[in-house]
Amino acid sequence: MSSNDNAAAAAEENSPKMRVIRVGTRKSQLARIQTDSVVATLKALYPGLQFDIIAMSTTGDKILDTALSKIGEKSLFTKELEHALEKNEVDLVVHSLKDLPTVLPPGFTIGAICKRENPCDAVVFHPRFVGKTLETLPEKSVVGTSSLRRAAQLQRKFPHLEFKSIRGNLNTRLRKLDEQQEFSAIILAAAGLQRMGWQNRVGQILHPEECMYAVGQGALGVEVRAKDQDILDLVGILHDPETLLCCIAERAFLRHLEGGCSVPVAVHTAMKDGQLYLTGGVWSLDGSDSMQETMQATIAVPAQHEDGPEDDPQLVGITAQNIPRVAQLAAENLGISLANLLLNKGAKNILDVARQLNDAH
């Protein structure tokens, strides 16, 4: 080895090694796109760090012949990723926030909620029905959705249509729509189609008055180990204050109702002039019975700032140390108050019946 080679080898040995942050994700194309976008932001913020992406399959990715609401597992798309986090095989995990239960397993927290994309649902039509809307589809047309929430609301709104479960990742569902003659249209989250670059397939956007969306829909959550302050500091900068406060209210509403995949619960939030408006609803499985209400709370959208550490900083599974605690608590209280309002009006009965019917089928 020449003296130059020796010098180069010695320099490499003595140069500080770049710290590697390992990022867990599901294997689907959409999950990878979402994770890549978060990693790209982190790389721009921390050019001195190296980010390695580790992809894995989850229970929800493997069980494709059963409706999500029937599998009876709260952490369908998160369990394997959390296992890797627990075993210190990854340092953070990027999820669709709507996949994260409102109560996380001990030791985990959502360290960042990124700016929300369009939270609404979108309709993609079979090529022979392009130009139609749900309203103008022929009688008894079959519409595919994997969500009880969508089916219940849309059945009520469009009684001439039939709704049937369709599973698989976005690519699979679009292929089933296009290649089989079974479905006239399918309902998907607008944000997912947008991130995949498939906006041209959107035939109709369902606004909240037609179909309210799932808790957390359109937002990405970054899950970390709750005691890993280093990583919490690293990802905390990604918090979008408005999205965070909307999602705290939504998650508090769902948690207090004890809703989940097996019952139709939906929300709509809006922030305007320092007021956070939360609309929440519950439906029977066929949509015939429903209840919805709107409440508001005064919450100034804060500029990020450093708050002193809290003993228990988590709210509905979220840690946001750089957003004023008072604003977070106001958002959480709004969600709980709205849930109580619906429960006092009899929502529990609607949800219990929906749960029993879903379990029985």
Side-chain angles (χ1 to χ4, degrees):
M1 191 184 270
S2 73
S3 58
N4 280 355
D5 288 342
N6 280 332
E12 193 174 312
E13 211 168 289
N14 295 328
S15 68
K17 282 271 190 291
M18 198 180 249
R19 184 180 169 196
V20 176
I21 307 292
R22 298 151 306 162
V23 183
T25 177
R26 285 167 63 195
K27 279 184 173 168
S28 76
Q29 187 185 353
L30 176 60
R32 290 302 305 261
I33 286 171
Q34 293 178 166
T35 302
D36 287 348
S37 74
V38 171
V39 167
T41 306
L42 288 170
K43 275 181 174 166
L45 291 166
Y46 305 106
L49 297 178
Q50 181 183 326
F51 293 87
D52 287 355
I53 296 175
I54 297 162
M56 53 195 89
S57 292
T58 65
T59 308
D61 295 313
K62 292 169 191 160
I63 306 175
L64 293 175
D65 55 353
T66 311
L68 291 178
S69 57
K70 297 272 191 288
I71 301 173
E73 166 66 73
K74 271 190 176 167
S75 48
L76 272 182
F77 295 109
T78 59
K79 200 166 158 185
E80 285 78 1
L81 295 160
E82 284 172 342
H83 196 49
L85 204 49
E86 187 176 30
K87 293 199 303 193
N88 212 5
E89 293 167 355
V90 297
D91 301 301
L92 56 107
V93 176
V94 179
H95 300 280
S96 290
L97 185 61
K98 69 174 180 176
D99 291 339
L100 280 166
T102 54
V103 179
L104 297 185
F108 301 111
T109 189
I110 299 164
I113 295 180
C114 307
K115 189 169 174 57
R116 194 177 217 167
E117 300 253 2
N118 183 350
C120 294
D121 289 317
V123 189
V124 179
F125 292 91
H126 187 281
R128 73 180 185 278
F129 291 120
V130 167
K132 294 267 188 202
T133 63
L134 289 181
E135 207 158 1
T136 59
L137 277 176
E139 191 83 22
K140 299 255 181 286
S141 292
V142 177
V143 176
T145 172
S146 55
S147 151
L148 293 180
R149 168 189 63 80
R150 290 169 180 150
Q153 291 181 81
L154 295 172
Q155 241 166 315
R156 185 185 178 96
K157 198 96 180 156
F158 305 104
H160 69 293
L161 301 176
E162 291 179 5
F163 293 86
K164 195 174 166 194
S165 177
I166 183 169
R167 289 287 321 280
N169 60 38
L170 279 190
N171 310 57
T172 308
R173 281 185 265 176
L174 278 176
R175 195 165 57 246
K176 283 180 182 173
L177 171 69
D178 290 344
E179 292 176 9
Q180 300 168 9
Q181 299 306 307
E182 186 178 3
F183 298 102
S184 302
I186 57 175
I187 317 288
L188 301 165
L193 290 161
Q194 216 166 314
R195 290 183 185 123
M196 293 285 273
W198 292 343
Q199 296 93 322
N200 63 328
R201 289 302 309 264
V202 175
Q204 184 180 0
I205 292 282
L206 297 172
H207 298 292
E209 48 280 10
E210 296 168 294
C211 186
M212 290 202 292
Y213 42 83
V215 165
Q217 184 159 307
L220 300 180
V222 181
E223 190 178 16
V224 302
R225 290 179 288 274
K227 296 216 178 322
D228 199 338
Q229 191 58 49
D230 201 19
I231 298 291
L232 269 169
D233 292 342
L234 186 88
V235 302
I237 199 167
L238 298 174
H239 270 305
D240 176 68
E242 185 170 318
T243 303
L244 169 81
L245 294 171
C246 287
C247 290
I248 285 177
E250 292 173 16
R251 286 171 66 82
F253 171 72
L254 182 64
R255 181 197 272 191
H256 204 68
L257 279 179
E258 295 182 353
C261 268
S262 59
V263 287
V265 174
V267 293
H268 168 51
T269 44
M271 188 80 86
K272 200 176 173 205
D273 302 327
Q275 296 287 311
L276 177 55
Y277 297 85
L278 171 64
T279 303
V282 301
W283 286 261
S284 59
L285 287 191
D286 64 359
S288 59
D289 206 359
S290 80
M291 189 179 288
Q292 51 182 289
E293 292 288 346
T294 301
M295 288 180 85
Q296 69 192 79
T298 302
I299 301 179
V301 177
Q304 296 200 3
H305 81 262
E306 290 301 322
D307 245 351
E310 304 275 345
D311 288 341
D312 180 17
Q314 283 202 43
L315 290 182
V316 284
I318 300 161
T319 301
Q321 292 162 336
N322 52 351
I323 306 292
R325 184 82 174 163
V326 64
Q328 295 183 57
L329 287 168
E332 183 188 43
N333 287 336
L334 176 62
I336 292 169
S337 301
L338 184 63
N340 280 331
L341 178 62
L342 287 180
L343 289 169
N344 290 338
K345 290 189 164 194
K348 189 174 183 337
N349 188 42
I350 297 176
L351 292 173
D352 286 347
V353 170
R355 212 174 263 119
Q356 287 159 10
L357 281 174
N358 183 55
D359 291 345
H361 275 74

